[in-house]
Amino acid sequence: MSEKNNSHSPERRRFLGSTAVLAGVGVTSGISLVELAQAKPDDQAVNNSIRWGMLIDANKCGTDCSACVDACSEEQGWGVSQHGGSPEQDPGWIRKVHLRDKQTGKETSLPMLCQHCETAPCVDVCPTGASFKREDGIVLVDRHTCIGCRYCMMACPYNARSFVHEAITDQKPHMPRGKGCVESCTFCVHRIDKDQSPACVEACHKDGHQAMTFGDLNNPESPIAKQLKSQSSTQIRSDLRLNQGVRYQGV
C-alpha cells in the first residue's frame, strides 16, 4: 500500500492534528503547547538547524540526590500524590532509576525522562496528532487535542509518560495540564525558547554534581557536542534505533 493511501501516514497524522487543533480552540481555554511551540518571533522561528539534546553522566549523579526531580516538579507544577491519588497514578516527568550490575555489584543511579527521540514511537501511534515533535527535536503533547487514549504511553519504551487522573488546580501559566491528558518532560521548552537551561540541568549544576549537560547536538562547538565527540556515551535501548536526544555516560 502506498504512503498516500495509508491511514497511518505522516501526512494523515499531520492533517488530523491540524483539524483537531482547530476543533479544540472553541472547546478548551488556556494556552496549548502548540502555541508555545510557535511562540518565538518569525525571525527566530524553530527550525531543524538545531537539535536539542542532553548528556547525563551517571558517574557524577548522586544516588541519594533528587535535585533534578525536585526542580522539575517545582518548575512544571507536578508532585507526588499532589491530589491524593494512588502511587500508580503519580506523575513522573523525570525519575531516578537505580541499576545494579549483578556480576560486579556496581550500583548506578541516573535520571530517566522523555528521550526526545528523532523517530518517536509516541508520535507515530498518536491518532490525533497531539503527540508531536518540533523541528528542533523536542517532543511535546498538545493538551487541546489529546483524547487520553494512552497509546503513546504504551508505545514509549522508557515509561516516560504519565496520565492525569484527577482534576488539577493552581497550574503554572507556562504549563497547561488537565484531567484526561497524557504528559511528559518538555525539556522546559518555555525556558529553552528564552535561551535558558532546563530546570533539572540548572538544579544539578547548582547542587554541584555537574552531571547534566544540555545543548545543541548539531553545533560542533557546543559543550555537549564536544563531550560526545571526545568521550564514549550510550543511548538507552539503542537497538531500537530511535536516535534519542538524551545520551548517557557511565552506564
Side-chain angles (χ1 to χ4, degrees), residues 84-134:
S86 64
E88 306 87 62
Q89 298 179 5
D90 287 337
W93 293 31
I94 181 173
R95 66 189 191 279
K96 290 295 290 291
V97 175
H98 301 280
L99 308 176
R100 184 178 185 276
D101 190 310
K102 293 182 179 180
Q103 184 170 353
T104 65
K106 178 184 178 182
E107 296 186 357
T108 304
S109 177
L110 53 88
M112 180 59 63
L113 60 155
C114 172
Q115 302 291 289
H116 296 278
C117 308
E118 180 179 40
T119 307
C122 57
V123 174
D124 286 341
V125 302
C126 181
T128 67
S131 290
F132 68 100
K133 181 168 67 71
R134 297 204 325 177

Side-chain angles (χ1 to χ4, degrees), residues 6-229:
N6 188 339
S7 62
H8 297 289
S9 69
E11 286 78 6
R12 179 172 175 78
R13 287 197 302 272
R14 283 194 291 270
F15 171 76
L16 287 171
S18 300
T19 54
V21 168
L22 292 174
V25 168
V27 178
T28 310
S29 62
I31 191 171
S32 73
L33 287 189
V34 167
E35 292 169 326
L36 284 175
Q38 300 170 343
K40 300 194 74 174
D42 290 340
D43 62 344
Q44 300 177 31
V46 174
N47 59 71
N48 59 13
S49 65
I50 293 176
R51 170 79 192 281
W52 293 117
M54 184 180 293
L55 177 62
I56 300 173
D57 189 343
N59 293 319
K60 298 179 180 178
C61 185
T63 302
D64 298 323
C65 179
S66 62
C68 59
V69 178
D70 296 339
C72 178
S73 177
E74 174 64 27
E75 180 73 22
Q76 307 291 25
W78 61 268
V80 177
S81 297
Q82 60 181 6
H83 302 291
S86 64
E88 306 87 62
Q89 298 179 5
D90 287 337
W93 293 31
I94 181 173
R95 66 189 191 279
K96 290 295 290 291
V97 175
H98 301 280
L99 308 176
R100 184 178 185 276
D101 190 310
K102 293 182 179 180
Q103 184 170 353
T104 65
K106 178 184 178 182
E107 296 186 357
T108 304
S109 177
L110 53 88
M112 180 59 63
L113 60 155
C114 172
Q115 302 291 289
H116 296 278
C117 308
E118 180 179 40
T119 307
C122 57
V123 174
D124 286 341
V125 302
C126 181
T128 67
S131 290
F132 68 100
K133 181 168 67 71
R134 297 204 325 177
E135 289 293 312
D136 57 8
I138 299 178
V139 177
L140 300 172
V141 181
D142 178 21
R143 276 43 163 205
H144 285 230
T145 55
C146 176
I147 59 175
C149 67
R150 287 170 271 189
Y151 287 168
C152 61
M153 293 179 65
M154 292 182 281
C156 178
Y158 309 101
N159 193 27
R161 293 194 162 195
S162 52
F163 184 75
V164 181
H165 291 264
E166 309 292 338
I168 294 176
T169 58
D170 301 325
Q171 301 178 48
K172 300 287 186 177
H174 58 267
M175 183 43 56
R177 304 178 64 219
K179 181 179 179 180
C181 292
V182 174
E183 55 187 21
S184 63
C185 161
T186 66
F187 263 170
C188 286
V189 63
H190 61 288
R191 294 171 60 97
I192 299 307
D193 287 345
K194 295 179 181 178
D195 298 322
Q196 300 173 357
S197 297
C200 60
V201 176
E202 184 177 275
C204 181
H205 283 242
K206 185 178 180 180
D207 214 49
H209 291 295
Q210 313 290 319
M212 308 175 83
T213 303
F214 183 84
D216 182 7
L217 298 173
N218 288 344
N219 179 5
E221 298 304 315
S222 68
I224 188 173
K226 289 181 177 180
Q227 289 185 50
L228 288 170
K229 184 177 181 180

